């Protein structure tokens, strides 16, 4: 937290951490919808190597695109129930 004109503001680190937790929750929800294997397949589609802790896409476009795919999967499931 940092002082702001209208009160405290969050640090960038806290905002990024919050977004990471939201992404993790979205992946967990998609896993309950389509299963773990299909979720991993969705995650690793169109990349050269399997994702590990050391090897993963770092491109902002890929990250935002993946989140959009997760959102679409979740949205589609909500409309089919």
């Amino acid at each position: 937290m940092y002082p702001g004109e209208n009160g405290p503001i969050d640090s960038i680190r806290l905002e990024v951490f919050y977004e990471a937790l939201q992404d993790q929750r979205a992946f967990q929800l998609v896993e309950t919808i389509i299963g773990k294997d299909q979720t991993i397949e969705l995650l690793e589609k169109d990349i050269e190597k399997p994702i590990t802790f050391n090897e993963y896409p770092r491109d902002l476009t890929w990250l935002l695109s993946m989140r959009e795919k997760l959102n679409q999967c979740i949205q589609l499931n909500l409309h089919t129930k």
Side-chain angles (χ1 to χ4, degrees):
M1 301 293 261
Y2 295 95
E5 288 183 21
N6 299 319
I9 58 174
D10 292 337
S11 69
I12 293 173
R13 180 178 290 170
L14 182 61
E15 290 179 20
V16 170
F17 181 67
Y18 174 79
E19 289 178 13
L21 291 176
Q22 295 299 309
D23 289 343
Q24 178 186 15
R25 182 65 187 113
F27 272 111
Q28 290 171 333
L29 181 55
V30 168
E31 183 180 348
T32 67
I33 296 168
I34 64 174
K36 183 176 182 176
D37 291 338
Q38 286 184 302
T39 302
I40 293 171
E41 186 177 313
L42 174 67
L43 180 62
E44 293 182 340
K45 184 179 180 182
D46 300 326
I47 60 172
E48 294 179 17
K49 298 179 182 179
I51 294 177
T52 68
F53 282 108
N54 296 322
E55 294 288 331
Y56 54 90
R58 291 171 171 85
D59 178 56
L60 178 60
T61 303
W62 183 89
L63 294 169
L64 294 175
S65 172
M66 179 53 59
R67 184 53 199 261
E68 184 58 33
K69 289 176 186 177
L70 294 175
N71 291 343
Q72 288 173 1
C73 181
I74 294 166
Q75 189 70 18
L76 180 63
N77 184 62
L78 293 177
H79 288 298
T80 58
K81 286 191 171 191

PDB file of all heavy atoms in Angstrom, residues 3-22:
ATOM      1  N   PRO A   3       0.602   5.743  -0.139  1.00  0.00           N
ATOM      2  CA  PRO A   3      -0.323   6.867   0.016  1.00  0.00           C
ATOM      3  C   PRO A   3      -0.726   7.418  -1.353  1.00  0.00           C
ATOM      4  O   PRO A   3       0.066   7.463  -2.282  1.00  0.00           O
ATOM      5  CB  PRO A   3       0.487   7.892   0.814  1.00  0.00           C
ATOM      6  CG  PRO A   3       1.908   7.492   0.665  1.00  0.00           C
ATOM      7  CD  PRO A   3       1.935   6.033   0.346  1.00  0.00           C
ATOM      8  N   GLY A   4      -1.981   7.782  -1.473  1.00  0.00           N
ATOM      9  CA  GLY A   4      -2.486   8.390  -2.691  1.00  0.00           C
ATOM     10  C   GLY A   4      -3.270   9.642  -2.356  1.00  0.00           C
ATOM     11  O   GLY A   4      -3.529   9.937  -1.189  1.00  0.00           O
ATOM     12  N   GLU A   5      -3.657  10.384  -3.374  1.00  0.00           N
ATOM     13  CA  GLU A   5      -4.400  11.625  -3.149  1.00  0.00           C
ATOM     14  C   GLU A   5      -5.720  11.381  -2.427  1.00  0.00           C
ATOM     15  O   GLU A   5      -6.152  12.191  -1.612  1.00  0.00           O
ATOM     16  CB  GLU A   5      -4.662  12.324  -4.483  1.00  0.00           C
ATOM     17  CG  GLU A   5      -3.433  12.935  -5.100  1.00  0.00           C
ATOM     18  CD  GLU A   5      -3.760  13.674  -6.387  1.00  0.00           C
ATOM     19  OE1 GLU A   5      -4.932  14.040  -6.593  1.00  0.00           O
ATOM     20  OE2 GLU A   5      -2.833  13.882  -7.174  1.00  0.00           O
ATOM     21  N   ASN A   6      -6.375  10.260  -2.746  1.00  0.00           N
ATOM     22  CA  ASN A   6      -7.679   9.954  -2.160  1.00  0.00           C
ATOM     23  C   ASN A   6      -7.622   8.762  -1.216  1.00  0.00           C
ATOM     24  O   ASN A   6      -8.599   8.037  -1.066  1.00  0.00           O
ATOM     25  CB  ASN A   6      -8.700   9.694  -3.270  1.00  0.00           C
ATOM     26  CG  ASN A   6      -8.897  10.893  -4.159  1.00  0.00           C
ATOM     27  OD1 ASN A   6      -8.956  12.017  -3.681  1.00  0.00           O
ATOM     28  ND2 ASN A   6      -8.984  10.663  -5.441  1.00  0.00           N
ATOM     29  N   GLY A   7      -6.480   8.537  -0.614  1.00  0.00           N
ATOM     30  CA  GLY A   7      -6.320   7.409   0.294  1.00  0.00           C
ATOM     31  C   GLY A   7      -5.289   6.431  -0.228  1.00  0.00           C
ATOM     32  O   GLY A   7      -4.666   6.656  -1.263  1.00  0.00           O
ATOM     33  N   PRO A   8      -5.112   5.329   0.471  1.00  0.00           N
ATOM     34  CA  PRO A   8      -4.074   4.377   0.083  1.00  0.00           C
ATOM     35  C   PRO A   8      -4.366   3.708  -1.270  1.00  0.00           C
ATOM     36  O   PRO A   8      -5.525   3.503  -1.631  1.00  0.00           O
ATOM     37  CB  PRO A   8      -4.087   3.340   1.204  1.00  0.00           C
ATOM     38  CG  PRO A   8      -5.229   3.650   2.077  1.00  0.00           C
ATOM     39  CD  PRO A   8      -5.815   4.934   1.659  1.00  0.00           C
ATOM     40  N   ILE A   9      -3.299   3.378  -1.984  1.00  0.00           N
ATOM     41  CA  ILE A   9      -3.430   2.655  -3.247  1.00  0.00           C
ATOM     42  C   ILE A   9      -2.593   1.384  -3.155  1.00  0.00           C
ATOM     43  O   ILE A   9      -1.606   1.329  -2.422  1.00  0.00           O
ATOM     44  CB  ILE A   9      -2.992   3.508  -4.462  1.00  0.00           C
ATOM     45  CG1 ILE A   9      -1.549   3.988  -4.313  1.00  0.00           C
ATOM     46  CG2 ILE A   9      -3.924   4.688  -4.660  1.00  0.00           C
ATOM     47  CD1 ILE A   9      -0.991   4.701  -5.526  1.00  0.00           C
ATOM     48  N   ASP A  10      -3.047   0.345  -3.868  1.00  0.00           N
ATOM     49  CA  ASP A  10      -2.337  -0.930  -3.859  1.00  0.00           C
ATOM     50  C   ASP A  10      -1.010  -0.819  -4.603  1.00  0.00           C
ATOM     51  O   ASP A  10      -0.867  -0.043  -5.541  1.00  0.00           O
ATOM     52  CB  ASP A  10      -3.180  -2.013  -4.545  1.00  0.00           C
ATOM     53  CG  ASP A  10      -4.419  -2.370  -3.758  1.00  0.00           C
ATOM     54  OD1 ASP A  10      -4.432  -2.144  -2.540  1.00  0.00           O
ATOM     55  OD2 ASP A  10      -5.372  -2.869  -4.377  1.00  0.00           O
ATOM     56  N   SER A  11      -0.065  -1.640  -4.194  1.00  0.00           N
ATOM     57  CA  SER A  11       1.199  -1.711  -4.909  1.00  0.00           C
ATOM     58  C   SER A  11       0.991  -2.512  -6.185  1.00  0.00           C
ATOM     59  O   SER A  11       0.067  -3.330  -6.291  1.00  0.00           O
ATOM     60  CB  SER A  11       2.268  -2.387  -4.051  1.00  0.00           C
ATOM     61  OG  SER A  11       1.973  -3.756  -3.897  1.00  0.00           O
ATOM     62  N   ILE A  12       1.827  -2.295  -7.165  1.00  0.00           N
ATOM     63  CA  ILE A  12       1.750  -3.053  -8.413  1.00  0.00           C
ATOM     64  C   ILE A  12       1.962  -4.530  -8.125  1.00  0.00           C
ATOM     65  O   ILE A  12       1.290  -5.387  -8.689  1.00  0.00           O
ATOM     66  CB  ILE A  12       2.774  -2.518  -9.432  1.00  0.00           C
ATOM     67  CG1 ILE A  12       2.379  -1.110  -9.867  1.00  0.00           C
ATOM     68  CG2 ILE A  12       2.874  -3.443 -10.634  1.00  0.00           C
ATOM     69  CD1 ILE A  12       3.396  -0.415 -10.741  1.00  0.00           C
ATOM     70  N   ARG A  13       2.874  -4.843  -7.234  1.00  0.00           N
ATOM     71  CA  ARG A  13       3.134  -6.242  -6.873  1.00  0.00           C
ATOM     72  C   ARG A  13       1.867  -6.902  -6.332  1.00  0.00           C
ATOM     73  O   ARG A  13       1.543  -8.033  -6.688  1.00  0.00           O
ATOM     74  CB  ARG A  13       4.246  -6.329  -5.838  1.00  0.00           C
ATOM     75  CG  ARG A  13       4.556  -7.753  -5.425  1.00  0.00           C
ATOM     76  CD  ARG A  13       5.685  -7.811  -4.449  1.00  0.00           C
ATOM     77  NE  ARG A  13       6.907  -7.472  -5.146  1.00  0.00           N
ATOM     78  CZ  ARG A  13       8.053  -7.248  -4.552  1.00  0.00           C
ATOM     79  NH1 ARG A  13       8.146  -7.320  -3.239  1.00  0.00           N
ATOM     80  NH2 ARG A  13       9.112  -6.936  -5.244  1.00  0.00           N
ATOM     81  N   LEU A  14       1.129  -6.212  -5.485  1.00  0.00           N
ATOM     82  CA  LEU A  14      -0.107  -6.762  -4.944  1.00  0.00           C
ATOM     83  C   LEU A  14      -1.150  -6.961  -6.046  1.00  0.00           C
ATOM     84  O   LEU A  14      -1.848  -7.969  -6.070  1.00  0.00           O
ATOM     85  CB  LEU A  14      -0.658  -5.844  -3.857  1.00  0.00           C
ATOM     86  CG  LEU A  14      -1.936  -6.312  -3.169  1.00  0.00           C
ATOM     87  CD1 LEU A  14      -1.710  -7.651  -2.462  1.00  0.00           C
ATOM     88  CD2 LEU A  14      -2.419  -5.258  -2.183  1.00  0.00           C
ATOM     89  N   GLU A  15      -1.240  -6.024  -6.972  1.00  0.00           N
ATOM     90  CA  GLU A  15      -2.194  -6.151  -8.074  1.00  0.00           C
ATOM     91  C   GLU A  15      -1.853  -7.333  -8.974  1.00  0.00           C
ATOM     92  O   GLU A  15      -2.743  -8.086  -9.388  1.00  0.00           O
ATOM     93  CB  GLU A  15      -2.247  -4.858  -8.877  1.00  0.00           C
ATOM     94  CG  GLU A  15      -2.912  -3.723  -8.117  1.00  0.00           C
ATOM     95  CD  GLU A  15      -2.957  -2.435  -8.899  1.00  0.00           C
ATOM     96  OE1 GLU A  15      -2.825  -2.472 -10.144  1.00  0.00           O
ATOM     97  OE2 GLU A  15      -3.128  -1.381  -8.272  1.00  0.00           O
ATOM     98  N   VAL A  16      -0.576  -7.522  -9.275  1.00  0.00           N
ATOM     99  CA  VAL A  16      -0.150  -8.646 -10.115  1.00  0.00           C
ATOM    100  C   VAL A  16      -0.393  -9.964  -9.385  1.00  0.00           C
ATOM    101  O   VAL A  16      -0.845 -10.944  -9.991  1.00  0.00           O
ATOM    102  CB  VAL A  16       1.331  -8.489 -10.528  1.00  0.00           C
ATOM    103  CG1 VAL A  16       1.864  -9.744 -11.192  1.00  0.00           C
ATOM    104  CG2 VAL A  16       1.495  -7.289 -11.451  1.00  0.00           C
ATOM    105  N   PHE A  17      -0.119 -10.006  -8.097  1.00  0.00           N
ATOM    106  CA  PHE A  17      -0.371 -11.206  -7.309  1.00  0.00           C
ATOM    107  C   PHE A  17      -1.860 -11.550  -7.317  1.00  0.00           C
ATOM    108  O   PHE A  17      -2.249 -12.709  -7.485  1.00  0.00           O
ATOM    109  CB  PHE A  17       0.137 -11.018  -5.881  1.00  0.00           C
ATOM    110  CG  PHE A  17      -0.052 -12.222  -5.002  1.00  0.00           C
ATOM    111  CD1 PHE A  17       0.657 -13.386  -5.242  1.00  0.00           C
ATOM    112  CD2 PHE A  17      -0.940 -12.187  -3.946  1.00  0.00           C
ATOM    113  CE1 PHE A  17       0.488 -14.510  -4.435  1.00  0.00           C
ATOM    114  CE2 PHE A  17      -1.128 -13.300  -3.134  1.00  0.00           C
ATOM    115  CZ  PHE A  17      -0.410 -14.462  -3.378  1.00  0.00           C
ATOM    116  N   TYR A  18      -2.710 -10.549  -7.160  1.00  0.00           N
ATOM    117  CA  TYR A  18      -4.150 -10.750  -7.194  1.00  0.00           C
ATOM    118  C   TYR A  18      -4.578 -11.335  -8.547  1.00  0.00           C
ATOM    119  O   TYR A  18      -5.370 -12.277  -8.604  1.00  0.00           O
ATOM    120  CB  TYR A  18      -4.876  -9.436  -6.917  1.00  0.00           C
ATOM    121  CG  TYR A  18      -6.372  -9.534  -7.072  1.00  0.00           C
ATOM    122  CD1 TYR A  18      -7.157 -10.100  -6.076  1.00  0.00           C
ATOM    123  CD2 TYR A  18      -6.999  -9.058  -8.216  1.00  0.00           C
ATOM    124  CE1 TYR A  18      -8.528 -10.198  -6.206  1.00  0.00           C
ATOM    125  CE2 TYR A  18      -8.372  -9.154  -8.359  1.00  0.00           C
ATOM    126  CZ  TYR A  18      -9.132  -9.725  -7.356  1.00  0.00           C
ATOM    127  OH  TYR A  18     -10.486  -9.827  -7.504  1.00  0.00           O
ATOM    128  N   GLU A  19      -4.056 -10.787  -9.633  1.00  0.00           N
ATOM    129  CA  GLU A  19      -4.383 -11.305 -10.967  1.00  0.00           C
ATOM    130  C   GLU A  19      -3.918 -12.750 -11.130  1.00  0.00           C
ATOM    131  O   GLU A  19      -4.616 -13.563 -11.740  1.00  0.00           O
ATOM    132  CB  GLU A  19      -3.771 -10.418 -12.050  1.00  0.00           C
ATOM    133  CG  GLU A  19      -4.456  -9.066 -12.164  1.00  0.00           C
ATOM    134  CD  GLU A  19      -3.814  -8.163 -13.195  1.00  0.00           C
ATOM    135  OE1 GLU A  19      -2.995  -8.653 -14.001  1.00  0.00           O
ATOM    136  OE2 GLU A  19      -4.136  -6.970 -13.199  1.00  0.00           O
ATOM    137  N   ALA A  20      -2.747 -13.064 -10.589  1.00  0.00           N
ATOM    138  CA  ALA A  20      -2.248 -14.444 -10.667  1.00  0.00           C
ATOM    139  C   ALA A  20      -3.174 -15.397  -9.925  1.00  0.00           C
ATOM    140  O   ALA A  20      -3.470 -16.495 -10.407  1.00  0.00           O
ATOM    141  CB  ALA A  20      -0.831 -14.523 -10.103  1.00  0.00           C
ATOM    142  N   LEU A  21      -3.656 -14.994  -8.769  1.00  0.00           N
ATOM    143  CA  LEU A  21      -4.592 -15.832  -8.019  1.00  0.00           C
ATOM    144  C   LEU A  21      -5.906 -16.005  -8.785  1.00  0.00           C
ATOM    145  O   LEU A  21      -6.501 -17.095  -8.778  1.00  0.00           O
ATOM    146  CB  LEU A  21      -4.861 -15.243  -6.639  1.00  0.00           C
ATOM    147  CG  LEU A  21      -3.685 -15.275  -5.665  1.00  0.00           C
ATOM    148  CD1 LEU A  21      -4.059 -14.578  -4.359  1.00  0.00           C
ATOM    149  CD2 LEU A  21      -3.232 -16.698  -5.398  1.00  0.00           C
ATOM    150  N   GLN A  22      -6.352 -14.957  -9.463  1.00  0.00           N
ATOM    151  CA  GLN A  22      -7.567 -15.055 -10.272  1.00  0.00           C
ATOM    152  C   GLN A  22      -7.367 -16.013 -11.444  1.00  0.00           C
ATOM    153  O   GLN A  22      -8.254 -16.807 -11.768  1.00  0.00           O
ATOM    154  CB  GLN A  22      -7.992 -13.676 -10.773  1.00  0.00           C
ATOM    155  CG  GLN A  22      -8.408 -12.718  -9.684  1.00  0.00           C
ATOM    156  CD  GLN A  22      -9.594 -13.223  -8.894  1.00  0.00           C
ATOM    157  OE1 GLN A  22     -10.605 -13.609  -9.464  1.00  0.00           O
ATOM    158  NE2 GLN A  22      -9.476 -13.236  -7.580  1.00  0.00           N
TER     159      GLN A  22
END
